[in-house]
Amino acid sequence: MSDKDNIKVYVNGRPVKIYTGMQVKHALIASDESLYSQAVAGDIEIMDGDGFPIGMEGALREGSEIRTRRKK
Amino acid sequence: MHFRSRSRALSVFILVLIFSVFPSAETPARGAAAEITILHVNDTHGHILPLPERNRDGSPGSALIGGAANLAAMIEKERRANPSGTLLLSGGDMFQGTPISNVFRGRPVLEIMNELKFDAMAVGNHEFDWGRAALEKLSAAAAFPFLTANIRDSRGNVPKWAKQYIILRKNSLNIAVIGLTTTDTPISIKPGNVKGLIFSRPENVLPVLIREVRRKGADMVIVLSHLGLDADRELGAAVPGIQVIVGGHSHTAVFRPVTAGSAVVVQAKCCGEYLGVLRLKVDRKTGEVLSHTREGALLTVYSRPRDPADARIAGIVRGYDDLIRGEFSRAVGETSADLARSSRQESNIGNLVADAMRNAAGAQIAFQNSGGIRTDIPRGKITMEQVFTALPFDNYIVAIDLTGRRIMQILERNARADHGLLQVSGLRVAYDMRNEPGTRLAEVSLNGVPLDPERLYRVAVNDFLAAGGDGLAEFREGKNIEYGDDLREAVVRYLRDRSPVNPKIEGRINIIRQ
């Protein structure tokens, strides 16, 4: 899937194509814009595949995993 | 004789007491293990002022987090606990990202880092955002080295603004710190800013350098990486001989240090929210890490009134905060017309922003989402603050090739009117809103010529649209992507170059409604 221009990342297990060099926030927009809005509003937590919190401007690469979870 | 023996015994006892209570900086502590504390930050992105806590994780608490003055107090506290065995490192991307740092091209952050006596910083991809001259200037003014081992100039030399590694002496250990920069830099940064630089794969350069620093007497090796956590893990597993990887780039809050091969991997999220504190016990003979912090490796930087703050750093921050207020009230241009937004039709401020984007990217066409323009600007002088208020999002320009067919699909989808209308530059578009969704695009032309569905056009958009924002997924189908300027900076430059501007509604978008 990866080519010069694109990478594939996973948002809550769903594959999403974004441009190479894009960040977590772009993957959320590409996956489901409402997820991005919820993240900006602070309604959800964003984590990597291991459950570590990640920032919205965090870098991604081919195969990166992003998980979201509604805040308690 | 008996007296002399007692006297000698007393002298020995006093000497032992003195050395146990007042160990010198280079005196090994008891036993074979040296205590090393690695303090680290990464991806500060210009955040030297505290932020409300909800900006970090959205919680509605009133606490402030981050802020260089409070971070400084925490650093000093940790240093006092291990004065001869503490390192202060940055995983890169320190300067670009906030108005207070951007306007002064990173100077406030650098001044603070100098004051805090950082030992080293990895070169991050965003260190190139303002071009090489700005990077060289920052490096020259830094009291610590910028490290990158995998960038060479066109002649094959290490760039003059960087070193590959340094070797520090801490608690009688020689500690090598080797810097690495993401190989995605050339594609994630404006191409001209990295022109002529060669980025090598870290795993190709690192083994040679590890042998080199070992030959020079390094007891242990720290890799100061701006590669991202996943890449750090792979590196630790693939390259033997690394004891610690202090990372950045992925903005990951690694509360529990990760182990990869022989390496302990840490990272402190971003934006100055955390101070990473990794305590190690290191075998003095082998340099092997005997034990390390397992939990709670990140300390939150709180900036509440009761939290200690460093007065010197607070003074630096306050000084630049005053300066930025002055900069924000300064005129950057002038408009002869009231600049008014619209999300349902062409707007003159939309035309101005889209023109600035097209101009900055050297593209044929530009699109700006109406929702990205948040306020009007009345005729007269335009201040920096007005630009920031009108364009509050931290967007940057992205240039891509799109076929005429894709562009028409985008415009057709946009004509469903479930989001604001795209503002355009370069194109003339006509919509017939009397038609059903999917059949509303009536005309689209560039320089009077209808768009050719098969032809590629160079298109500038902001990063929100490039990610498919406003439901326009077709924007993600571009090719030959190039990242460009910060959107606001492009608009400011456009205003500075062309004021007074007088943008008009000029029929770029024609809408037939009834």
Side-chain angles (χ1 to χ4, degrees):
Chain A
M1 168 74 187
S2 175
D3 57 37
K4 178 178 149 295
D5 290 305
N6 301 109
I7 57 171
K8 183 166 69 178
V9 301
Y10 296 86
V11 178
N12 295 326
R14 181 183 160 218
V16 177
K17 184 178 85 165
I18 56 173
Y19 291 115
T20 307
M22 285 197 148
Q23 302 159 340
V24 170
K25 63 183 176 185
H26 301 117
L28 295 180
I29 293 166
S31 170
D32 175 355
E33 213 168 311
S34 71
L35 273 183
Y36 171 67
S37 303
Q38 290 173 66
V40 170
D43 295 335
I44 57 171
E45 294 172 302
I46 314 166
M47 295 157 294
D48 69 6
D50 295 308
F52 287 126
I54 50 175
M56 293 270 273
E57 277 82 35
L60 299 169
R61 63 180 201 159
E62 177 70 18
S64 290
E65 287 183 46
I66 299 167
R67 294 181 194 164
T68 64
R69 183 174 64 191
R70 185 153 283 281
K71 285 181 75 72
K72 291 171 188 166
Chain B
M1 188 71 178
H2 181 67
F3 177 76
R4 281 184 67 189
S5 172
R6 277 182 62 187
S7 172
R8 187 177 299 154
L10 188 63
S11 300
V12 170
F13 173 75
I14 289 169
L15 277 173
V16 168
L17 190 68
I18 286 170
F19 278 107
S20 62
V21 175
F22 305 110
S24 76
E26 291 301 318
T27 303
R30 278 185 181 170
E35 292 193 3
I36 298 295
T37 305
I38 300 173
L39 306 179
H40 59 99
V41 296
N42 57 276
D43 298 277
T44 297
H45 286 291
H47 287 273
I48 58 172
L49 290 162
L51 287 169
E53 192 172 26
R54 76 180 309 280
N55 280 12
R56 176 186 62 147
D57 61 11
S59 66
S62 57
L64 291 174
I65 61 158
N70 296 84
L71 175 73
M74 293 169 68
I75 288 169
E76 286 313 307
K77 185 182 172 196
E78 294 296 332
R79 274 186 171 139
R80 279 197 301 274
N82 187 6
S84 56
T86 300
L87 295 83
L88 178 58
L89 302 174
S90 160
D93 275 8
M94 293 298 286
F95 307 109
Q96 170 278 340
T98 59
I100 195 171
S101 183
N102 290 1
V103 166
F104 303 109
R105 290 296 192 249
R107 255 175 43 216
V109 177
L110 188 83
E111 213 170 294
I112 289 165
M113 292 178 78
N114 282 345
E115 194 70 29
L116 291 176
K117 297 186 168 50
F118 269 71
D119 288 299
M121 181 193 87
V123 175
N125 51 315
H126 286 292
E127 261 69 74
F128 294 93
D129 278 3
W130 300 318
R132 288 249 273 293
L135 173 56
E136 284 178 26
K137 209 169 165 184
L138 284 169
S139 173
F144 54 91
F146 287 16
L147 299 182
T148 180
N150 62 323
I151 303 178
R152 297 279 178 149
D153 65 19
S154 53
R155 294 178 176 175
N157 299 320
V158 176
K160 61 183 177 186
W161 39 265
K163 289 182 175 176
Q164 290 187 300
Y165 61 81
I166 51 164
I167 300 178
L168 301 165
R169 184 140 178 98
K170 299 285 176 183
N171 264 355
S172 68
L173 277 179
N174 293 325
I175 302 173
V177 183
I178 304 173
L180 291 171
T181 304
T182 174
T183 54
D184 279 346
T185 303
I187 199 162
S188 62
I189 296 297
K190 198 174 173 183
N193 294 358
V194 290
K195 193 176 175 190
L197 294 179
I198 300 151
F199 290 73
S200 304
R201 294 175 66 88
E203 62 270 28
N204 293 343
V205 298
L206 209 45
V208 174
L209 285 171
I210 290 173
R211 284 196 293 275
E212 185 174 319
V213 297
R214 291 282 185 193
R215 271 201 311 275
K216 289 185 174 178
D219 299 303
M220 67 178 290
V221 173
I222 298 173
V223 169
L224 191 54
S225 141
H226 195 81
L227 304 177
L229 181 62
D230 289 342
D232 288 342
R233 285 175 145 156
E234 288 175 8
L235 195 68
V239 179
I242 306 168
Q243 276 67 53
V244 177
I245 301 178
V246 175
H249 193 44
S250 56
H251 296 203
T252 314
V254 182
F255 291 106
R256 300 177 310 281
V258 173
T259 305
S262 61
V264 180
V265 185
V266 291
Q267 194 178 143
K269 204 176 178 212
C270 69
C271 313
E273 296 171 14
Y274 296 103
L275 173 64
V277 182
L278 180 67
R279 299 180 214 282
L280 307 165
K281 284 196 192 317
V282 182
D283 188 307
R284 289 183 192 282
K285 289 180 183 165
T286 64
E288 184 190 346
V289 175
L290 303 172
S291 66
H292 63 83
T293 308
R294 298 279 176 180
E295 294 284 340
L298 301 182
L299 306 181
T300 302
V301 179
Y302 280 110
S303 304
R304 300 160 296 196
R306 65 176 180 275
D307 295 311
D310 183 302
R312 290 169 308 149
I313 302 299
I316 295 172
V317 173
R318 204 168 34 247
Y320 278 106
D321 200 27
D322 290 344
L323 283 175
I324 190 75
R325 285 169 208 275
E327 287 292 322
F328 263 52
S329 60
R330 195 164 294 162
V332 295
E334 187 175 358
T335 173
S336 309
D338 290 326
L339 302 179
R341 295 163 295 152
S342 175
S343 62
R344 299 188 67 235
Q345 59 191 18
E346 178 185 344
S347 73
N348 66 345
I349 192 169
N351 288 348
L352 183 140
V353 172
D355 286 351
M357 293 169 69
R358 186 162 70 95
N359 182 62
Q364 296 166 283
I365 298 163
F367 294 107
Q368 163 69 27
N369 55 311
S370 295
I373 306 171
R374 307 301 279 193
T375 58
D376 302 334
I377 297 176
R379 75 183 64 192
K381 301 283 186 194
I382 303 173
T383 65
M384 182 82 87
E385 184 170 11
Q386 285 175 302
V387 174
F388 269 75
T389 309
L391 302 169
F393 304 106
D394 294 330
N395 289 129
Y396 47 87
I397 298 169
V398 174
I400 46 177
D401 290 339
L402 285 170
T403 62
R405 188 181 313 284
R406 285 282 184 224
I407 293 169
M408 288 187 268
Q409 287 170 347
I410 287 164
L411 292 168
E412 189 66 80
R413 187 183 290 273
N414 187 228
R416 290 170 185 265
D418 42 8
H419 291 83
L421 213 58
L422 288 170
Q423 302 296 314
V424 303
S425 177
L427 288 182
R428 284 188 180 265
V429 186
Y431 299 109
D432 189 341
M433 302 304 268
R434 298 171 301 184
N435 293 342
E436 289 299 309
T439 59
R440 288 175 170 170
L441 181 64
E443 280 180 48
V444 54
S445 62
L446 175 70
N447 301 325
V449 179
L451 237 50
D452 179 345
E454 306 306 324
R455 196 182 144 190
L456 285 173
Y457 297 90
R458 196 66 175 158
V459 178
V461 293
N462 63 39
D463 60 303
F464 171 77
L465 288 176
D470 274 0
L472 300 170
E474 291 83 358
F475 274 125
R476 287 160 41 207
E477 301 299 328
K479 294 291 174 199
N480 297 319
I481 182 169
E482 278 186 7
Y483 292 96
D485 292 320
D486 175 283
L487 175 58
R488 288 181 293 236
E489 288 198 9
V491 170
V492 166
R493 198 164 58 241
Y494 188 85
L495 290 170
R496 280 188 171 137
D497 291 347
R498 294 162 195 252
S499 284
V501 294
N502 189 19
K504 293 182 167 59
I505 306 291
E506 54 192 53
R508 297 181 188 187
I509 303 172
N510 290 301
I511 300 174
I512 304 160
R513 293 192 194 277
Q514 206 44 272

